[in-house]
């Protein structure tokens, strides 16, 4: 019998929602941390996910979901033990946070209304990141630079804002009908959602991230597709108008932030609203070597993993071997900008297989969500679920060219959207009175050990949770060539 079954229904509800508030507070904290990956902050984040994990009763989850949560942090431990090196083992704690939040959200967000509330919370995170980013950008007094925000880099900022952008567009497209509110209230909510999503879209535009811009366009296309699938006749035109308003807010905020209102001396010389938008100019340009460099790093990553297929070259050692495997290796590239190749290079099959399994699990979630294909009533009844599916697809696609799994806040967004996608399926599997299988109970116990092990890994990591791209500053690169 679960501990929560000893409580009254009202007490259980308060406990469950209280745990969700604590997890959301962790999301706000992670957003404020940005690229800070030190041991202390990540331990706090892990702690904020544990209450939601407990009230979700993970021992009643399907074995395959528990396996996905267990496998990735265990893979990190296997690599560290194989190489006898604790440098970078703190990654296990970050992946334990991801797994705890994934399971917790999967158990909590089991109704359309709860999923809308969670979508609203993510929209709020997007607005907070936008405001903090603008404050930093304006403080620099230079409109020529991209927006980096607290996350520290323009591509990662765009990847962060992709999720609230996609969620907001889909909520607008489907009308937030799960709220069951009166027309005036729903209109007010839609205005807030459109403005919040517009802020996220403006941050993507201002970041100048080319892949981010492309994925944002894909999210917009998906929202338009949902609009045509969910609405017919007279309802179609107003919905398209709401999407147009959201998009206009994004472009309007971008133009406003680069206008003379904020940059009175430089704006006239450096920015011509009639002919050029720097973010889009950069997004369409091909005059740099970033993609060619990525191809070189991908080739190096493939060869690294092949030298030791079982456990790779070791955690945080990509930067050491990169100099040996690239014709003009500089020892400055710590990541191949592809999460699957990074797992293969540093962890071999021990890290790649869990990551591939997680990827396959996310694909299965998407496919099962669309079988049978939902009709218009089903789409309108659960807007956050479909928005989460679009947002998850966008941020998962970003991993092909970026290194987002290093950031706890981006792990939180992936876990949150994946949990929202999984929650309807989990709710259908967890019938009232159903007994947990032996495999699920065993795996839930294993994950409890993973959470404890992740906390220990954070404490014993000699890097103290240092950002991977700063690691080589403080730890000399070994001569392995």
């Amino acid at each position: 019998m679960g501990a929560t079954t000893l409580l009254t229904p009202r007490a259980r509800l308060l406990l469950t929602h209280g745990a969700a508030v604590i997890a959301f507070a962790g999301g706000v904290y992670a957003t404020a941390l940005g690229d800070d990956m030190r041991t202390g902050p990540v331990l706090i984040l892990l702690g904020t996910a544990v209450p939601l994990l407990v009230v979700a009763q993970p021992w009643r989850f399907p074995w395959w979901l528990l396996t996905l949560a267990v496998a990735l942090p265990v893979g990190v431990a296997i690599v560290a033990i194989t190489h006898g090196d604790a440098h970078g083992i703190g990654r296990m704690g970050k992946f334990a946070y991801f797994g705890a939040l994934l399971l917790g959200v999967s158990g909590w967000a089991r109704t359309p209304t709860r999923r809308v509330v969670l979508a609203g919370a993510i929209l709020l995170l997007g607005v907070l990141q936008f405001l903090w980013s603008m404050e930093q950008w304006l403080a620099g007094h230079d409109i020529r630079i991209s927006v980096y925000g607290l996350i520290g880099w323009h591509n990662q900022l765009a990847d962060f804002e992709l999720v609230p952008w996609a969620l907001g567009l889909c909520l607008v497209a489907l009308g937030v009908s799960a709220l069951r509110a009166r027309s005036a209230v729903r209109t007010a909510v839609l205005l807030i959602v459109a403005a919040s999503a517009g802020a996220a879209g403006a941050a993507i535009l201002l970041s100048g991230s080319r892949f981010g811009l492309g994925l944002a366009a894909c999210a917009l296309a998906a929202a338009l597709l949902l609009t045509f699938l969910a609405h017919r006749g007279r309802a179609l035109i107003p919905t398209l108008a709401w999407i147009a308003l959201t998009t206009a807010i994004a472009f309007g905020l971008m133009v406003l932030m680069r206008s003379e209102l904020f940059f009175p001396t430089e704006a006239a010389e450096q920015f011509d609203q009639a002919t050029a938008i720097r973010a889009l100019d950069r997004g369409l340009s091909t005059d740099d070597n970033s993609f060619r460099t990525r191809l070189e790093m991908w080739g190096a990553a493939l060869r690294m993993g092949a030298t030791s297929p079982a456990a790779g070259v070791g955690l945080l050692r990509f930067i050491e071997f990169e100099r040996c495997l690239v014709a003009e290796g500089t020892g400055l590239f710590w990541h191949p900008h592809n999460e699957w190749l990074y797992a293969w290079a540093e962890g071999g099959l021990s890290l790649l297989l869990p990551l591939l399994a997680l990827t396959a699990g996310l694909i299965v979630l998407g496919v099962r969500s669309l079988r049978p294909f939902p009709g218009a009533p089903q789409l309108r009844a659960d807007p956050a679920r479909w928005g989460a599916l679009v947002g998850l697809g966008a941020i998962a696609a970003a991993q092909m060219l970026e290194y987002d799994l290093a950031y706890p806040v981006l792990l939180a967004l992936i876990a949150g959207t994946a949990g929202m996608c999984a929650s309807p399926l989990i709710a259908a599997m967890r019938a009232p009175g159903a007994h947990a299988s032996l495999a699920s109970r065993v795996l839930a116990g294993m994950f409890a050990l993973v959470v404890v092990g992740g906390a220990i890994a954070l404490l014993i990591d000699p890097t103290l949770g240092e950002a991977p791209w700063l690691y080589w500053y403080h730890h000399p690169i070994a001569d392995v060539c």
Side-chain angles (χ1 to χ4, degrees):
M1 180 180 292
T4 57
T5 61
L6 302 176
L7 303 173
T8 65
R10 181 178 179 82
R12 287 202 301 271
L13 190 64
L14 290 174
L15 185 64
T16 299
H17 291 343
V21 170
I22 292 172
F24 173 67
V28 175
Y29 180 59
T31 303
L33 286 173
D35 62 356
D36 188 345
M37 304 169 196
R38 292 170 299 166
T39 292
V42 179
L43 275 173
I44 293 173
L45 287 176
L46 183 58
T48 63
V50 168
L52 190 62
L53 172 68
V54 173
V55 300
Q57 301 181 357
W59 51 89
R60 296 179 57 203
F61 283 17
W63 65 268
W64 56 267
L65 184 61
L66 291 165
T67 300
L68 296 180
V70 167
L72 201 53
V74 167
V76 173
I78 290 173
V79 174
I81 292 171
T82 300
H83 290 276
D85 188 357
H87 286 80
I89 197 174
R91 198 181 307 174
M92 180 182 180
K94 288 195 291 185
F95 289 158
Y97 168 63
F98 167 81
L101 195 59
L102 171 63
L103 296 175
V105 171
S106 298
W108 180 82
R110 62 178 184 267
T111 66
T113 300
R114 288 189 182 186
R115 289 190 281 274
V116 167
V117 170
L118 180 54
I122 293 175
L123 280 169
L124 177 57
L125 295 183
V127 172
L128 290 175
Q129 181 63 235
F130 172 79
L131 294 175
W132 283 326
S133 300
M134 292 307 102
E135 188 276 331
Q136 289 186 335
W137 188 50
L138 295 174
H141 302 295
D142 190 348
I143 65 172
R144 293 169 297 181
I145 64 174
S146 295
V147 172
Y148 291 171
L150 297 174
I151 292 183
W153 197 241
H154 59 288
N155 291 329
Q156 274 61 47
L157 175 68
D159 295 346
F160 177 97
E161 295 287 13
L162 277 171
V163 174
W165 167 249
L167 277 172
L169 282 172
C170 293
L171 287 177
V172 165
L174 300 176
V176 203
S177 53
L179 289 175
R180 297 193 179 94
R182 291 180 298 177
S183 177
V185 175
R186 186 178 293 116
T187 299
V189 171
L190 283 171
L191 281 171
I192 295 173
V193 170
S196 301
I204 296 171
L205 289 167
L206 287 165
S207 74
S209 172
R210 288 160 292 185
F211 199 36
L213 286 166
L215 293 173
C218 291
L220 176 59
L224 289 171
L225 176 61
L226 286 173
T227 299
F228 285 102
L229 291 173
H231 301 287
R232 295 288 187 274
R234 290 181 297 176
L236 181 62
I237 301 302
T239 305
L240 290 174
W242 277 106
I243 293 178
L245 174 63
T246 305
T247 307
I249 290 173
F251 279 91
L253 279 174
M254 180 199 64
V255 172
L256 177 65
M257 296 307 298
R258 298 186 64 88
S259 71
E260 295 184 8
L261 180 64
F262 296 101
F263 298 99
T265 57
E266 297 93 341
E269 299 176 1
Q270 298 176 2
F271 181 59
D272 182 354
Q273 295 184 29
T275 60
I277 297 175
R278 180 186 178 280
L280 294 183
D281 285 347
R282 185 181 186 278
L284 296 174
S285 70
T286 56
D287 59 354
D288 63 69
N289 297 321
S290 63
F291 189 69
R292 179 180 61 81
T293 301
R294 278 174 167 80
L295 288 176
E296 293 178 354
M297 294 302 104
W298 295 349
L302 286 170
R303 293 192 292 274
M304 280 185 211
T307 63
S308 182
V313 297
L315 302 175
L316 297 178
R317 300 196 71 191
F318 182 90
I319 194 170
E320 297 176 5
F321 287 85
E322 174 265 331
R323 298 184 305 156
C324 312
L325 298 173
V326 178
E328 298 179 359
T330 62
L332 298 178
F333 294 98
W334 60 271
H335 196 292
H337 288 60
N338 179 293
E339 289 292 354
W340 295 271
L341 292 178
Y342 185 54
W344 167 248
E346 291 198 348
L349 294 175
S350 298
L351 277 184
L352 179 60
L353 288 180
L355 191 58
L356 287 175
L358 179 63
T359 305
L362 296 181
I363 294 173
V364 168
L365 280 177
V367 172
R368 291 193 61 178
S369 296
L370 299 174
R371 292 181 62 187
F373 195 84
Q378 289 78 22
L379 290 174
R380 293 194 300 269
D382 200 354
R385 177 185 185 182
W386 312 114
L389 190 61
V390 175
L392 177 62
I395 198 169
Q399 310 318 303
M400 293 189 294
L401 296 181
E402 287 303 333
Y403 46 91
D404 293 350
L405 301 191
Y407 293 81
V409 65
L410 294 173
L411 285 172
L413 285 182
I414 296 171
T417 50
M420 290 169 70
C421 294
S423 56
L425 303 177
I426 302 304
M429 295 176 183
R430 292 171 55 170
H435 295 288
S437 68
L438 176 61
S440 293
R441 292 198 297 268
V442 170
L443 286 165
M446 290 179 61
F447 187 72
L449 294 177
V450 163
V451 171
V452 174
I456 295 172
L458 287 164
L459 292 171
I460 66 173
D461 188 342
T463 70
L464 300 178
E466 215 166 51
W469 52 88
L470 297 178
Y471 172 73
W472 63 282
Y473 279 128
H474 304 150
H475 302 273
I477 301 173
D479 185 7
V480 297
C481 298

